[in-house]
Amino acid sequence: MNNYELMVIFTPVLSEEDFKSAQKKYQDLIKENGGDTVASNPWGLKSLAYPIDKKTTGIYWILEFTGPATINEKLKIQFLRDEQIMRHMITKLDKYAVEYNHIKRNGGFPVHKAVEA
Amino acid sequence: MAKNEIKYLTAIKQEKPKKKFCRFKKYGIKYVDYKDIEFLKKFVNEQGKMLPRRLSGNSLKYQRKVADAVKKARQMSLLPYVTDLFK
């Protein structure tokens, strides 16, 4: 059971409930394939650093989940098939990354990027 | 004073360059998050290009992690590939 982090950029034209239903769809997909979601963090509409498919804004969504290694291939097929998704990226999290995300979620670092008191 | 009159072959370094240190070792940071743009901007120059180790002062292990994070941020268009004066 590895830890993964998924970042997805949806087309900006997506409505709010479509966005929610897409999130739910993929979280259920992960559950079906024997994984479970640790945290979901939708950033919402954000301007892109460079235009993708002629669009300069996108809806970001970050999902941290755990699952067997075989889960990513299935997810990738779904992402490529879904035309609402402009870009996606799944990164493997090592133990420092998991710890970092955990701290970031509950309370954050005592002093940002400085010597921990 | 007398010292200035002496012409040196190479210019004397006026101020001693401050000792560079690897901020990851010093502050005990273990993971470079590709989503943390403010932190990554410290390792990227105005054109959006990555700073070399001699300027960023990182040790090899963490410079690679920073490079990996910057490339991921660029892929997800959080950081531009090339731009001008975006800082």
Side-chain angles (χ1 to χ4, degrees):
Chain A
M1 290 296 276
N2 308 329
N3 288 298
Y4 295 106
E5 184 179 71
L6 158 73
M7 180 186 254
V8 174
I9 306 179
F10 290 93
T11 55
V13 78
L14 200 66
S15 67
E16 193 49 37
E17 70 274 357
D18 284 354
F19 183 39
K20 289 249 176 322
S21 63
Q23 283 177 24
K24 232 190 94 32
K25 183 177 106 176
Y26 288 114
Q27 283 178 351
D28 296 346
L29 188 68
I30 289 173
K31 271 208 181 11
E32 272 159 35
N33 296 333
D36 63 339
T37 66
V38 173
S40 163
N41 174 10
W43 283 1
L45 200 67
K46 207 166 168 303
S47 66
L48 303 174
Y50 53 86
I52 301 175
D53 311 345
K54 312 289 182 300
K55 299 182 184 62
T56 55
T57 58
I59 300 181
Y60 280 76
W61 174 47
I62 295 167
L63 176 76
E64 198 180 329
F65 64 97
T66 61
T70 59
I71 205 170
N72 296 325
E73 201 49 43
K74 297 191 183 76
L75 283 177
K76 196 157 73 86
I77 294 166
Q78 294 302 323
F79 289 143
L80 295 176
R81 189 172 294 151
D82 186 343
E83 80 283 350
Q84 286 175 352
I85 290 182
M86 290 199 287
R87 200 165 281 193
H88 65 278
M89 179 165 74
I90 300 179
T91 47
K92 189 173 194 316
L93 297 179
D94 56 6
K95 62 180 175 4
Y96 297 121
V98 172
E99 186 203 338
Y100 174 87
N101 284 343
H102 183 65
I103 292 173
K104 200 81 174 157
R105 263 197 310 275
N106 337 22
F109 293 90
V111 179
H112 189 66
K113 286 294 171 293
V115 180
E116 269 73 18
Chain B
M1 23 144 206
K3 200 152 90 52
N4 288 346
E5 271 73 35
I6 300 167
K7 287 284 169 284
Y8 288 98
L9 284 177
T10 63
I12 52 168
K13 277 201 289 294
Q14 275 72 25
E15 34 85 27
K16 191 182 171 316
K18 75 172 174 43
K19 182 77 191 66
K20 283 198 176 41
F21 58 88
C22 172
R23 63 178 72 213
F24 295 94
K25 279 198 191 127
K26 191 155 187 287
Y27 296 146
I29 304 163
K30 281 281 194 293
Y31 171 65
V32 184
D33 190 11
Y34 65 92
K35 306 188 289 298
D36 189 353
I37 308 305
E38 293 318 313
F39 184 63
L40 288 184
K41 277 191 177 165
K42 295 193 183 103
F43 303 103
V44 163
N45 68 3
E46 285 77 25
Q47 281 86 22
K49 293 153 72 172
M50 276 186 270
L51 291 177
R53 265 180 71 206
R54 67 172 186 278
L55 295 184
S56 66
N58 293 339
S59 59
L60 176 60
K61 175 179 172 183
Y62 290 105
Q63 176 73 10
R64 284 197 184 127
K65 286 188 173 165
V66 164
D68 185 40
V70 166
K71 287 170 191 164
K72 278 184 187 154
R74 284 177 178 162
Q75 162 77 14
M76 296 311 283
S77 94
L78 299 168
L79 276 180
Y81 278 94
V82 66
T83 173
D84 38 12
L85 269 310
F86 84 111
K87 273 272 177 59

